[in-house]
Amino acid sequence: MSLWTSLEPASTTVDPGSSTTVRLRLRNTGDVVDEYRFEPVGEVAPWTTVEPQTLRLYPGTTGSVELTFAPPRTPDATAGPNAYAVRIMPTEHPEAATVPEGNLTITPFTEVRAELVPPTVKGRFRGRPKLAVDNLGNTKVTASVSGSDNGDQLSYDIHPSNVQIEPGRAAFVKATLKPRQISWFGSKEERPYAFAVKRSGVTPLDVEGTYVQRSFLPGWLATCMGIFLALAITFLTLWLAYQPKVISAATELQETAVSTVPPPSPSAPVSTPPPPTPSAPPASSAPPQVTETESDSGSGSASGGDGGGGSGGGSEEKKKAAPTAATAVRQLAAADPGGRHICYRAFVTGKGWTAPECDGDTAGTVGQGRSLKALNIAVSGVNGTASAAFVHNPDSTNGQGHYNGKPWSNAKDGFDNYFGSSKAGAPDMLGFTINVDNGGRGVCQSVHQKDRGWQNLACDKPGEGEHYIFGGTLDNGIWLEAVKFTV
């Protein structure tokens, strides 16, 4: 061994979003001049820099370099002790490489965001909003959720009322709002309310929403009933007050007088509409088959809403049919009739639609900084699929995106399902919800996010939970770059 090393100090602590420095001293104990190169290794290597990166020492001399640790303020910087190491490679004697080790403790921090989905719910007897709670810190968060409003006009059924959220993950809390008094007639009334996300020792995080209570019967119907009743009373009063004087000498006149008075008509019964049924997850209906073409420029266009993007060519523009997710999944279903398959493709910024990928392969780009705008998915053997896109919100006031347009799109086995938008200027996709067989079967997803890389594989549990799986984040600045799916 021709090298002596020392870390000063061997253990240190740093806050996420800041930096700290450790000095590495080394002495050339050999008999020749040598140059040493330094390479950080271990889990904290991406946040570690060495200055200078090379050091030249004469025999018996000592030098030093500085190791700077700068973990980001994100869930990736896991709280607690983290081992680190530096590989020292001698140029003259590479076989004598050494790896001194130390310990870096990252302090915990918590950052919680919450959003109501949707922020406004409507109904006569109840409303069913959902609260999305996102843990943007680097340590597990335990919180409770409660509801309140001015005047105690609503009752709240919250499930679950307590959640535990891992770093970088989100939890969804279902709630049922019920008005304490039914509004029978009149116009709709807005009832503001708020959910409080409470954590020990921290000021509660309030998320405000609005419940729009509709009357059981519309106001115009009550007005019509009042007018009809007034006319009926007036008519009955006139009928009872009119008594013609009849004598035997004027029998014909009597009959004529009686016959000219119309008989009273009874009031028609008023039918009341039945109470609305609670909203349910979308059924798997078969959309029309999508025909998609690509121009020479490479941008695709599709029928059926926002499913396709790009500009259509003129009469002289050469076009060819582009394979969709349904094209690919039907080929797999023909080769494996009894199997379960999912195929998908992504609309990538600056590139357009990718080729279809299936059963766990990557659709999109990695490391190019290109956001996804829309996804095209088709399944076989799982009784259809339904999805919704969570996209960038340029008008956001809380740093989060939103569900844009209609919340769900769906398709049967073998048909294309599109969500998001590939139109010019469409927002970046931040996340999505997806299920198969209306939640009766499992689907798994993994996403590659801007500045965060690939996230852990996550699957829904058939018959349990939300009947869908959420992929991505609520953060308005973190878009999706690539996706993988399996069923």
Side-chain angles (χ1 to χ4, degrees):
M1 184 70 177
S2 60
L3 181 64
W4 169 87
T5 63
S6 173
L7 287 169
E8 300 175 355
S11 297
T12 187
T13 301
V14 65
D15 296 327
S18 61
S19 62
T20 188
T21 302
V22 171
R23 182 181 295 254
L24 172 62
R25 300 181 61 222
L26 63 162
R27 179 185 302 120
N28 184 356
T29 59
D31 53 3
V32 296
V33 177
D34 211 338
E35 185 176 69
Y36 304 94
R37 291 180 291 108
F38 305 92
E39 179 186 1
V41 295
E43 294 184 357
V44 300
W47 315 321
T48 307
T49 57
V50 182
E51 186 65 32
Q53 296 182 349
T54 61
L55 188 63
R56 185 177 181 86
L57 295 177
Y58 287 90
T61 61
T62 301
S64 64
V65 297
E66 288 188 346
L67 309 178
T68 302
F69 304 99
R73 191 175 175 84
T74 66
D76 297 332
T78 306
N82 295 267
Y84 71 89
V86 180
R87 182 183 291 113
I88 305 175
M89 298 289 294
T91 303
E92 298 296 330
H93 300 284
E95 72 281 355
T98 183
V99 185
E101 298 180 355
N103 183 72
L104 176 68
T105 300
I106 300 177
T107 59
F109 77 95
T110 58
E111 183 176 348
V112 176
R113 294 181 184 176
E115 180 188 24
L116 276 171
V117 183
T120 300
V121 291
K122 303 177 181 179
R124 292 180 174 86
F125 303 108
R126 63 182 60 83
R128 289 190 172 93
K130 291 183 180 179
L131 181 66
V133 185
D134 200 3
N135 181 7
L136 304 181
N138 66 348
T139 185
K140 181 188 293 186
V141 167
T142 300
S144 62
V145 180
S146 62
S148 62
D149 61 275
N150 293 329
D152 195 26
Q153 297 174 332
L154 303 173
S155 64
Y156 304 87
D157 182 13
I158 300 174
H159 181 77
S161 59
N162 294 280
V163 293
Q164 284 190 344
I165 314 171
E166 296 294 334
R169 307 292 292 179
F172 288 86
V173 177
K174 296 189 295 184
T176 300
L177 312 178
K178 293 182 180 180
R180 299 189 182 276
Q181 292 184 348
I182 297 176
S183 178
W184 294 101
F185 298 98
S187 60
K188 59 186 179 182
E189 297 183 17
E190 294 187 354
R191 305 194 184 279
Y193 69 94
F195 284 126
V197 181
K198 302 176 181 178
R199 293 178 290 139
S200 178
V202 180
T203 302
L205 174 62
D206 292 330
V207 184
E208 297 181 350
T210 303
Y211 172 63
V212 179
Q213 183 180 359
R214 295 168 174 162
S215 298
F216 186 76
L217 294 175
W220 64 265
L221 183 58
T223 303
C224 291
M225 289 179 62
I227 295 174
F228 181 80
L229 182 60
L231 292 175
I233 293 174
T234 302
F235 180 79
L236 183 60
T237 302
L238 293 176
W239 171 257
L240 295 176
Y242 179 69
Q243 296 180 357
K245 186 176 182 181
V246 182
I247 58 176
S248 60
T251 304
E252 183 178 354
L253 178 60
Q254 175 190 6
E255 293 175 354
T256 303
V258 172
S259 63
T260 59
V261 180
S265 61
S267 300
V270 179
S271 61
T272 58
T277 56
S279 60
S284 296
S285 60
Q289 178 64 25
V290 175
T291 301
E292 187 162 326
T293 60
E294 289 185 0
S295 66
D296 292 340
S297 62
S299 63
S301 64
S303 63
D306 293 344
S311 60
S315 60
E316 299 181 357
E317 184 180 10
K318 181 180 178 182
K319 295 186 178 181
K320 61 180 180 180
T324 67
T327 308
V329 84
R330 287 177 178 175
Q331 294 175 352
L332 290 178
D336 182 18
R340 295 180 296 176
H341 301 284
I342 181 170
C343 294
Y344 41 92
R345 60 188 187 133
F347 192 90
V348 181
T349 300
K351 287 193 172 184
W353 286 108
T354 65
E357 305 291 346
C358 300
D359 298 336
D361 291 335
T362 300
T365 60
V366 175
Q368 299 183 20
R370 298 179 182 270
S371 61
L372 300 189
K373 301 288 188 178
L375 290 175
N376 166 212
I377 293 180
V379 296
S380 66
V382 293
N383 195 24
T385 180
S387 307
F390 191 82
V391 299
H392 175 79
N393 180 10
D395 299 323
S396 175
T397 59
N398 59 0
Q400 299 178 7
H402 65 166
Y403 285 99
N404 190 19
K406 61 181 182 179
W408 286 90
S409 62
N410 51 85
K412 287 184 177 180
D413 279 4
F415 289 85
D416 283 309
N417 183 29
Y418 289 89
F419 54 101
S421 175
S422 58
K423 292 181 179 179
D428 298 332
M429 186 177 293
L430 312 179
F432 55 83
T433 54
I434 184 172
N435 68 15
V436 296
D437 194 14
N438 201 20
R441 305 189 190 210
V443 58
C444 300
Q445 56 78 25
S446 178
V447 299
H448 190 282
Q449 298 175 334
K450 171 199 174 187
D451 299 334
R452 294 184 178 179
W454 283 107
Q455 305 300 299
N456 294 333
L457 184 69
C459 307
D460 63 348
K461 297 180 180 179
E464 301 179 13
E466 304 289 343
H467 301 289
Y468 61 82
I469 187 71
F470 179 85
T473 180
L474 305 180
D475 195 317
N476 212 20
I478 304 297
W479 60 68
L480 299 184
E481 295 183 344
V483 295
K484 300 177 182 177
F485 295 99
T486 57
V487 293

